[in-house]
Amino acid sequence: MTIQQIVLSAVIALMVFSLSLDLKLRDFQRVAQAPRAVLAGLIPQFLLLPVGTWLATLALDLPPPVEVAMMLVAVCPGGTTSSFITHFGRGNAALSLSISAVGAVMSLVLTPFLFSAMVAGTPATAQWVRTRAIDPWAIWQTVALLLALPLAVGLAFSRGLPALTVRIRKPLSRLALFALLAFVVANLVAQRHLLNVAVLPILLLVVLHNGAGLLLGYGTGKAMRLNTADRRAVVIEGGMQNVGFALGIVAVQFNSDLQMVIFTSLWGVWHSISGLGLALIWRRSQSSLA
């Protein structure tokens, strides 16, 4: 494992650990209180966006690394800033936290399972992964290392040391977010010679892919007749993925493949822009839009 991979793995573990400090038992209990709303947030994340992405890769003739990156982002759990964006956009932040909490636990199994199934189900990506000698079991190990372990440690820490947790939660969360942003920016700066007109098609693909996640969240919220605040939470959860986690898998399992890094990094930048943009529109709107 290279120094870059070790650093990114540590950053991702720190992010998941800091996220777990925000999770409370009530976040999981809310599933029993509002199962329809939580389910509405999980359907786009673990069913609609993955299936839609897989169908898109079958229809489009894209480079295999880009298709694999699309699949990976599509099956990652919700982003770590989704509850903040939801709150800023006057959505139901408590619901967003519940969806994130349940999604984080479900992703321990669903992320590697769905990712492996999607890659194997597309001939071009299956062949490309075979040429790189990727071990499917190693992806499960990476999920355990980057997600399961820090999540379990964080939950145990917050339960055993509640006073200390209150003091370090916000500073640690800010540190983790800053470290991830610094890593992404450093990566993009290091590859700045490649960030030219040729990257525009990938950026367009990122915008469309992210837009699909947001629209699927909106459609699910509408179909399940959620109120405006709940619907906004579902929209944000559908369009904000844990890109840091995806970058960790790209670094550890795909040796920081350049096309995968560019796609995933651009997604990380864009989903923040689209999420904040929607939140600003919602804050200024007096209508029940979304």
Side-chain angles (χ1 to χ4, degrees):
M1 187 178 288
T2 66
I3 295 297
Q4 182 190 42
Q5 291 172 328
I6 293 172
V7 170
L8 180 57
S9 298
V11 170
I12 303 310
L14 178 63
M15 286 193 69
V16 175
F17 176 79
S18 64
L19 171 66
S20 68
L21 297 182
D22 278 324
L23 300 181
K24 302 289 185 297
L25 181 60
R26 62 177 177 270
D27 297 326
F28 296 94
Q29 290 173 333
R30 200 173 287 113
V31 178
Q33 298 165 359
R36 188 174 51 147
V38 175
L39 181 62
L42 296 172
I43 288 174
Q45 281 188 10
F46 293 113
L47 178 61
L48 299 182
L49 187 59
V51 170
T53 300
W54 178 66
L55 292 175
T57 59
L58 290 176
L60 300 173
D61 186 20
L62 299 170
V66 174
E67 293 189 345
V68 173
M70 288 177 63
M71 295 174 183
L72 179 57
V73 170
V75 299
C76 280
T80 55
T81 58
S82 57
S83 59
F84 167 77
I85 299 293
T86 299
H87 175 73
F88 183 72
R90 295 176 179 167
N92 188 340
L95 173 61
S96 177
L97 275 172
S98 293
I99 296 170
S100 295
V102 177
V105 175
M106 292 178 63
S107 67
L108 299 177
V109 174
L110 289 182
T111 292
F113 174 77
L114 291 172
F115 179 60
S116 299
M118 290 164 67
V119 169
T122 306
T125 57
Q127 176 61 32
W128 182 75
V129 168
R130 278 195 296 270
T131 63
R132 297 184 66 88
I134 302 296
D135 180 7
W137 175 243
I139 295 176
W140 291 82
Q141 292 175 316
T142 302
V143 171
L145 176 67
L146 298 182
L147 189 60
L149 182 60
L151 184 67
V153 171
L155 290 172
F157 187 94
S158 61
R159 183 177 179 84
L161 300 167
L164 181 59
T165 297
V166 171
R167 288 201 300 270
I168 70 170
R169 185 171 55 212
K170 287 187 178 179
L172 197 63
S173 178
R174 290 169 184 165
L175 173 63
L177 183 59
F178 174 80
L180 177 62
L181 290 174
F183 187 90
V184 170
V185 170
N187 236 338
L188 292 176
V189 169
Q191 306 296 337
R192 61 187 179 279
H193 60 288
L194 298 171
L195 299 178
N196 49 38
V197 176
V199 176
L200 290 179
I202 296 181
L203 177 59
L204 176 61
L205 188 62
V206 166
V207 172
L208 293 175
H209 196 208
N210 175 249
L214 294 170
L215 286 173
L216 289 170
Y218 176 79
T220 304
K222 272 286 192 182
M224 300 188 75
R225 299 179 181 178
L226 301 183
N227 61 45
T228 299
D230 288 356
R231 201 159 60 238
R232 290 178 180 180
V234 170
V235 170
I236 294 299
E237 290 294 329
M240 296 197 73
Q241 314 305 109
N242 193 332
V243 174
F245 180 51
L247 279 170
I249 293 179
V250 171
V252 175
Q253 294 301 325
F254 294 92
N255 198 27
S256 296
D257 178 87
L258 185 57
Q259 287 182 292
M260 292 187 71
V261 168
I262 289 175
F263 180 91
T264 311
S265 298
L266 288 175
W267 177 284
V269 173
W270 177 253
H271 84 163
S272 298
I273 294 173
S274 64
L276 281 171
L278 270 178
L280 281 169
I281 292 172
W282 291 337
R283 281 183 71 87
R284 295 179 179 180
S285 174
Q286 299 303 314
S287 69
S288 61
L289 177 62

